[in-house]
Amino acid sequence: EVLAASLRNAVQLSECLLAGADILTVPANIAGICAMSVPAGFSKNGLPIGMQIMAGQFKEETLFHVGHAFEKATEFHTKKPSL
């Protein structure tokens, strides 16, 4: 019984964390515009930071060009956080 309750709590926590992680990506989906995230640096604690880029409906090609240009101009995509 205790194990089952612990597992239920863990599942609920995981679902909440996943929902919270999506909160910044859902608006683009609802609006019907395209968006992508590219590596954009690291926090003071060494955690990776991403930059979300958005473009109008059916402007995926523009979005890919912008993302590619950003990665060519920076080296964030080549670095990994220390674990």
Side-chain angles (χ1 to χ4, degrees), residues 24 36-53 70-71 74-82:
L24 298 176
M36 69 186 303
S37 178
V38 294
F42 294 90
S43 71
K44 291 178 184 177
N45 296 330
L47 297 174
I49 296 173
M51 176 176 66
Q52 188 176 35
I53 306 167
F70 183 79
E71 287 193 345
T74 65
E75 295 184 5
F76 299 125
H77 64 285
T78 64
K79 306 203 182 304
K80 296 181 181 178
S82 58

Side-chain angles (χ1 to χ4, degrees), residues 2-83:
V2 173
L3 179 59
S6 295
L7 288 174
R8 280 193 300 275
N9 289 339
V11 168
Q12 288 174 344
L13 178 61
S14 295
E15 290 172 353
C16 287
L17 290 173
L18 287 174
D22 285 347
I23 199 162
L24 298 176
T25 60
V26 171
N29 296 331
I30 292 172
I33 61 175
C34 53
M36 69 186 303
S37 178
V38 294
F42 294 90
S43 71
K44 291 178 184 177
N45 296 330
L47 297 174
I49 296 173
M51 176 176 66
Q52 188 176 35
I53 306 167
M54 296 183 186
Q57 290 181 332
F58 308 111
K59 297 293 184 180
E60 288 85 356
E61 185 175 354
T62 300
L63 188 66
F64 292 141
H65 285 295
V66 170
H68 184 250
F70 183 79
E71 287 193 345
K72 281 178 57 177
T74 65
E75 295 184 5
F76 299 125
H77 64 285
T78 64
K79 306 203 182 304
K80 296 181 181 178
S82 58
L83 299 176

